[in-house]
Amino acid sequence: MKIAIGADHGGYKLKEIITAYLKRKKFEFKDFGTYSEESVDYPDYAYPVAEAVARGEYDRGILICGSGVGVCITANKVKGIRAVLVHDTYTAKQSREHGDANVLCLAGRRLSKAQATKIVAVWLKTEFSGDERHLRRIRKIER
Ligand code: RB5
């Protein structure tokens, strides 16, 4: 599975933790930045990640800002992206099983290292159920 990951300054520290986890677990990924805690604008990182996923260059995206809100709003502007702001493993699992979410958004200033790593682990391993009712709903979103 190929993963695109990006963050603004509010998500930078958590991105470092998540990329270390991805490395440890031998996931293939590209880090789209930012690379420090210097203030930047989250759309400059959220759009490239979301667009790369939408083009099919990556299977999933992970975006992090302070609250997770800004990157999630941005990513959902890109056609074909189903970005979800997740604070717990229940939502992580359901967003994949029911919503076939392809971009995970996290709050760098709200989640502990352990919480965030658990969410990422669950979200990456959970497959879309493929159930007809969920497919129907996703098609309605697309239309
Ligand atoms: C940056 O201070 C902050 O606004 C940003 O990281 C994000 O939380 C926006 O939704």
Side-chain angles (χ1 to χ4, degrees):
M1 181 190 302
K2 283 177 77 178
I3 299 162
I5 184 165
D8 76 353
H9 54 290
Y12 167 73
K13 276 189 180 161
L14 183 57
K15 177 170 68 64
E16 296 308 286
I17 289 162
I18 300 304
T19 53
Y21 170 80
L22 295 176
K23 256 183 223 162
R24 247 187 352 263
K25 295 292 175 184
K26 304 203 184 323
F27 281 103
E28 192 182 337
F29 71 92
K30 179 175 170 186
D31 183 349
F32 282 70
T34 187
Y35 304 110
S36 78
E37 286 187 277
E38 192 183 324
S39 182
V40 292
D41 297 337
Y42 55 79
D44 296 339
Y45 300 87
Y47 269 126
V49 166
E51 284 164 349
V53 173
R55 283 194 301 268
E57 292 165 17
Y58 296 88
D59 304 298
R60 310 264 191 96
I62 299 175
L63 285 168
I64 313 170
C65 64
S67 62
V69 170
V71 289
C72 197
I73 293 171
T74 308
N76 275 313
K77 296 282 179 199
V78 177
K79 196 170 167 44
I81 292 302
R82 291 176 298 282
V84 284
L85 175 54
V86 169
H87 294 101
D88 57 74
T89 52
Y90 171 85
T91 316
K93 188 164 182 276
Q94 181 162 317
S95 77
R96 289 287 312 134
E97 284 179 345
H98 292 198
D100 197 15
N102 50 11
V103 172
L104 173 68
C105 302
L106 298 172
R109 294 180 180 145
R110 299 304 298 161
L111 296 170
S112 70
K113 177 180 170 173
Q115 285 170 324
T117 308
K118 254 189 231 159
I119 289 168
V120 169
V122 167
W123 191 76
L124 289 176
K125 79 169 183 214
T126 306
E127 292 301 328
F128 176 49
S129 72
D131 289 351
E132 176 46 38
R133 69 184 191 286
H134 298 311
L135 274 171
R136 183 179 69 238
R137 291 162 190 165
I138 288 168
R139 284 193 202 110
K140 285 188 180 185
I141 295 172
E142 282 164 5
R143 281 204 299 276

